[in-house]
């Protein structure tokens, strides 16, 4: 999003409107005019928004939504229509969607359920894959609804919000730890996306939206059937992960919890259903845990009994948050993050690979640069062992090609020294970290 230009508002228009509209650079101009944004800034009568459905099915909004769905790609839904197939007849498809939304005949298709392995566990998590047409409508719906709530969300909420990221949340945690907030409530919401009560969620939406057609469309998506293989069921609660509207709805549902915790003076950092509360004393942490447990249970949710705990950062052990492990004065990738990287490297470095070493390294570099971009703030000791392990994988390939058995180690360091791989362009994590630290 950072490379998108702000919505065009001339300086004269801004002065006439009063409020500075440049902070709404991220909104879809096909859904929100400058006049609407000015009303949003000043506050609408009763805080309620009417007649929004025509903004949802506006041709320009649907076209912009389709552009985002196409860019995100993704798998086909239950209708087996891929993004590529939809694109071949996009003009007709968008026109059909618009007509059905306008006359009230649009009905979501069932969501295709896929099961994703949890790294380092035998468990799997469900992922809902809507049809392409539904992804378009959900995106158009989000374009219309998101600005209404964005200015109402708490400062400590970072997940799925424009202009915010995981790194912002991690930076805030780091600031609080350095400021002496060393007692941590490490919390986990059990089955959050599957547990949100539909009626309670819709009640939250009704606080701001009075357009019955929009409310009915949201309800239709919440209750859309789920197809798992040959079985089909209708969910009684939850908003499926993978749905384009779910992240916004989840933030709406947890917003009252956010504000209650902030009003009580607690330093909470939340990214979707993953959050920590940072406190100065054990007593404060115990009270914070009791408070947040009461709040989430009051909303029909549950803190995971095994994964929710208090952490004293003066002792070894630490806590995980957004891919990192915080332990005393160190920040390193958590074990699952390292395992995920190694799994990706193994996939690209089988000993019997028939690809040239240069081609293998190009593929590796794509993985390594992406991983380092997120984990470059880790403790410096993180990177050297990983570099050595990656080069061992490459030396093992070279051993195999030279009719030798076993892994690449021992005298192989002399046959193919580190410089050999550097000359081939292998991305060196330790060197990249040292370079990044020069600009910190």
């Amino acid at each position: 999003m950072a490379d998108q230009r702000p919505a065009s508002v001339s300086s004269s228009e801004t002065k006439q409107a009063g409020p500075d509209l440049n902070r709404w650079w991220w909104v879809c101009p096909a859904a929100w005019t400058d006049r609407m944004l000015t009303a949003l800034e000043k506050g609408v009568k009763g805080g309620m928004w009417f007649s929004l459905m025509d903004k949802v099915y506006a041709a320009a909004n649907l076209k912009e939504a389709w552009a985002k769905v196409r860019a995100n790609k993704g798998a086909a839904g239950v209708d087996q229509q891929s993004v590529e197939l939809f694109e071949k007849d996009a003009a007709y498809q968008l026109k059909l969607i618009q007509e059905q939304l306008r006359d009230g005949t649009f009905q979501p298709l069932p969501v295709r359920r896929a099961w994703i392995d949890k790294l380092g566990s035998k468990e799997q998590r469900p992922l809902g894959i809507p049809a392409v047409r539904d992804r378009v409508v959900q995106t158009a719906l989000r374009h219309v609804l998101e600005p209404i709530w964005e200015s109402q969300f708490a400062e400590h909420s970072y997940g799925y919000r424009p202009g915010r990221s995981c790194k912002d949340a991690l930076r805030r945690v780091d600031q609080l730890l350095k400021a002496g907030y060393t007692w941590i409530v490490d919390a986990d919401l059990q089955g959050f996306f599957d547990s949100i009560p539909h009626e309670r969620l819709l009640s939250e939406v009704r606080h701001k939206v009075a357009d019955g057609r929009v409310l009915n469309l949201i309800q239709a998506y919440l209750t859309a059937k789920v197809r798992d293989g040959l079985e089909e069921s209708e969910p009684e609660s939850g908003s499926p992960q993978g749905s384009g509207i779910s992240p916004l709805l989840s933030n709406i549902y947890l917003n009252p919890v956010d504000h209650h915790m902030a009003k009580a003076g607690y330093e909470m950092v939340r990214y979707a259903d993953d959050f920590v509360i940072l406190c100065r004393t054990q007593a404060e942490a115990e009270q914070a845990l009791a408070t947040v447990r009461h709040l989430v249970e009051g909303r029909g949710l549950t803190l995971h009994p095994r994964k929710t705990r208090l952490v004293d950062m003066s002792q070894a052990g630490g806590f995980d948050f957004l891919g990192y492990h915080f332990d005393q004065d160190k920040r390193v990738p958590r074990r699952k993050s390292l395992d995920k990287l190694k799994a990706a490297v193994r996939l690209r470095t089988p000993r019997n690979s028939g690809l040239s070493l240069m081609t293998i390294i190009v593929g590796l570099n794509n993985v390594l640069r992406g991983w380092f971009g997120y984990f470059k703030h880790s403790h410096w000791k993180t990177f050297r062992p990983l570099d050595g392990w990656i080069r061992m994988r490459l030396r093992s390939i070279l051993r195999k090609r030279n009719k030798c058995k076993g892994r690449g180690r021992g005298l192989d360091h002399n046959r193919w020294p580190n410089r050999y791989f550097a000359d081939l362009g292998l991305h060196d994590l330790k060197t990249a970290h040292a370079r990044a630290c020069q600009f910190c």
Side-chain angles (χ1 to χ4, degrees), residues 342-357 359-361 363-364 389-390 392-401 406:
K342 288 188 173 183
V345 171
R346 287 190 184 98
L347 185 65
R348 289 161 178 80
T349 56
R351 293 187 199 180
N352 60 353
S353 174
L355 300 175
S356 70
L357 196 62
T359 301
I360 293 172
I361 287 175
L364 274 179
W389 180 80
I390 292 164
M392 179 275 293
R393 297 285 304 178
L394 294 174
R395 289 186 180 107
S396 297
I397 294 173
L398 293 172
R399 283 183 62 85
K400 177 77 172 178
R401 292 178 180 180

Side-chain angles (χ1 to χ4, degrees), residues 115-127:
W115 292 91
I116 309 299
D117 290 333
K118 287 186 176 181
L119 196 63
S121 170
K122 294 181 180 179
E123 298 180 9
Q124 292 183 312
R125 67 178 181 90
L127 183 67

